[in-house]
Amino acid sequence: MTRVDMFERYPADPLRLAVMVMLAAASVLAMTGELGRVLPPHGLWDFGAFVASGRAAAEGLDPYGIYPLTPHVVLPGFESWNPNLNPPISALLFQLFDLAEPQASLRVWLWISVACYLATVVLLVRRYGQGIEGLLIAVWAFGLAGFWDTLFLGQIYLPLLLMAVGAWLLLERQELLWSGILIGLVVAMKPNFLVWPVLLFLSGHRRPALVSLAVAAAVSLIPAVVLGPGVYRQWLSLVASDGERAFFLTNASLSGLAARAGIPAAGTALGAALLLGLAAWAFRRRPAVMAASSAALVASVLASPLGWIHYTLFLLPVLLHHWDRRAMWVVGGLLVVPVPFVIDQFAAGSGAQLTIGSVYGWAVLLCIVVVMLPRGDRSRRASLAT
């Protein structure tokens, strides 16, 4: 497939172009507000938790404890400490953030993150865009709420996103070794993406799956050797005790939707059912590598206990791969809704929190429906031609 195959198969569609113009306009509007939120100094937020975690590990302390730099979130009806939740390998990597004064490190990290995202968007536009539509895709991508909130919090998602998109594109080209390596690095840092190699394996795409699992396991052994195996006990203890944050409105997972509906236990059951259903589908249907990858990436967010809005950035290649399906335009629009607007719903009633306050969760739920529904005749004929 060439980088313009989507547009060759689906000739210029005035409706699609009009929708993309509207998405780009909404993105520009979102950017104007987000620039004022992200660029001025606004504290360390999650980056402070990362510095604290790395510093604690270097001093032989619990990298998952509460320290002066650990952010404390207080909102109407919600209060939480936000320590580092990443696996123990992060406690080693985050020591690099403490080489300079934290605010200076945060500024450097912000521009590294922007560069990684720019590279990601360029790769996706080269693959899925052409002419004016490629430009509109790029504008829309830079308006996504997950991008801006990642920068605001000083989060680490954007280099990982670049790896995930690189793996996606390499899988398309049947570069199975390097795609597996990149997937393994993502899984080592964000274990919820373990769904990706598992579904690949069950679908019969064994080589990238086994390579990624081996890479993730090798990386995960490093902190056990350097910090001692007890660091995994500390991490798992924190993860097990962190269920109350599922309610937070930027959690786009089934657990978040269930918590806001007043039935938090249902979130775990629904997530498990989704994963089991996808496992059976992959094993019985043996879907193509990109179909398995699409389902895996969406399920990695939807079935996670904490599928933050930032994780929806990993759905970018999925959305663009299925961009010929109009429901994906709705998903793309919902993911532009700025985080401050969603957070404001904490002050509203439970009904608002479950509806407009859960816009990201509904977007991801719609995404999995689109990905799993059979394509129409037009799309099926086009896919058979590639």
Side-chain angles (χ1 to χ4, degrees):
M1 290 186 291
T2 68
R3 70 182 178 89
V4 297
D5 69 319
M6 181 177 74
F7 298 95
E8 291 172 347
R9 297 200 310 255
Y10 306 109
D13 179 353
L15 176 60
R16 184 182 70 219
L17 184 59
V19 169
M20 293 178 71
V21 168
M22 288 189 289
L23 287 176
S27 294
V28 170
L29 183 62
M31 284 184 240
T32 59
E34 293 285 26
L35 281 169
R37 185 170 76 107
V38 169
L39 291 183
H42 53 269
L44 294 175
W45 290 93
D46 289 358
F47 190 82
F50 303 153
V51 174
S53 180
R55 187 176 295 174
E59 296 173 355
L61 302 175
D62 180 3
Y64 298 102
I66 304 297
Y67 299 101
L69 291 180
T70 304
H72 187 213
V73 178
V74 180
L75 293 166
F78 183 87
E79 180 177 354
S80 173
W81 288 96
N82 290 357
N84 173 31
L85 281 175
N86 293 291
I89 187 62
S90 68
L92 298 177
L93 297 175
F94 290 159
Q95 293 178 36
L96 297 174
F97 291 158
D98 206 25
L99 294 178
E101 187 272 330
Q103 285 288 352
S105 291
L106 175 58
R107 287 192 293 273
V108 171
W109 183 248
L110 183 145
W111 292 113
I112 290 174
S113 297
V114 170
C116 288
Y117 193 66
L118 176 61
T120 300
V121 173
V122 168
L123 288 173
L124 289 171
V125 168
R126 283 176 60 84
R127 167 64 183 86
Y128 293 106
Q130 183 183 20
I132 185 62
E133 292 191 332
L135 176 62
L136 293 172
I137 286 172
V139 173
W140 162 71
F142 272 95
L144 290 171
F147 168 66
W148 290 100
D149 206 53
T150 293
L151 298 183
F152 179 81
L153 296 174
Q155 265 287 354
I156 61 170
Y157 295 97
L158 300 180
L160 299 173
L161 173 64
L162 179 57
M163 293 182 198
V165 168
W168 173 281
L169 297 175
L170 289 169
L171 279 175
E172 273 196 324
R173 294 165 50 184
Q174 293 297 304
E175 296 282 352
L176 304 182
L177 174 62
W178 288 105
S179 60
I181 290 172
L182 290 175
I183 293 171
L185 293 175
V186 173
V187 171
M189 200 66 177
K190 296 294 180 181
N192 52 313
F193 287 105
L194 183 63
V195 179
W196 196 356
V198 170
L199 280 193
L200 287 176
F201 184 87
L202 293 174
S203 300
H205 309 291
R206 301 291 168 80
R207 188 178 182 193
L210 293 174
V211 169
S212 60
L213 292 171
V215 169
V219 171
S220 299
L221 281 175
I222 296 173
V225 173
V226 176
L227 301 175
V231 71
Y232 273 95
R233 183 181 65 253
Q234 294 166 333
W235 173 56
L236 293 172
S237 176
L238 174 63
V239 170
S241 66
D242 199 52
E244 65 180 29
R245 282 208 286 167
F247 179 82
F248 201 77
L249 297 181
T250 56
N251 179 14
S253 71
L254 288 169
S255 292
L257 289 171
R260 282 168 232 131
I263 46 174
T268 302
L270 289 171
L274 173 64
L275 294 177
L276 290 173
L278 287 176
W281 165 78
F283 186 73
R284 295 183 62 185
R285 297 293 184 89
R286 300 300 174 100
V289 67
M290 302 319 296
S293 294
S294 293
L297 284 173
V298 184
S300 295
V301 180
L302 200 55
S304 175
L306 297 174
W308 301 122
I309 176 60
H310 323 95
Y311 283 116
T312 63
L313 296 175
F314 291 82
L315 307 186
L316 266 170
V318 180
L319 267 65
L320 293 175
H321 190 74
H322 295 269
W323 202 244
D324 57 292
R325 309 180 78 169
R326 294 178 179 178
M328 278 304 190
W329 306 347
V330 178
V331 177
L334 294 177
L335 295 180
V336 172
V337 176
V339 165
F341 172 82
V342 172
I343 295 299
D344 285 346
Q345 307 313 309
F346 269 117
S350 58
Q353 292 169 5
L354 184 58
T355 52
I356 57 176
S358 298
V359 63
Y360 305 138
W362 296 119
V364 180
L365 194 59
L366 176 58
C367 190
I368 194 67
V369 171
V370 175
V371 165
M372 298 308 297
L373 281 178
R375 287 180 174 272
D377 290 340
R378 181 187 183 202
S379 297
R380 188 178 300 112
R381 288 195 301 268
S383 64
L384 290 173
T386 59

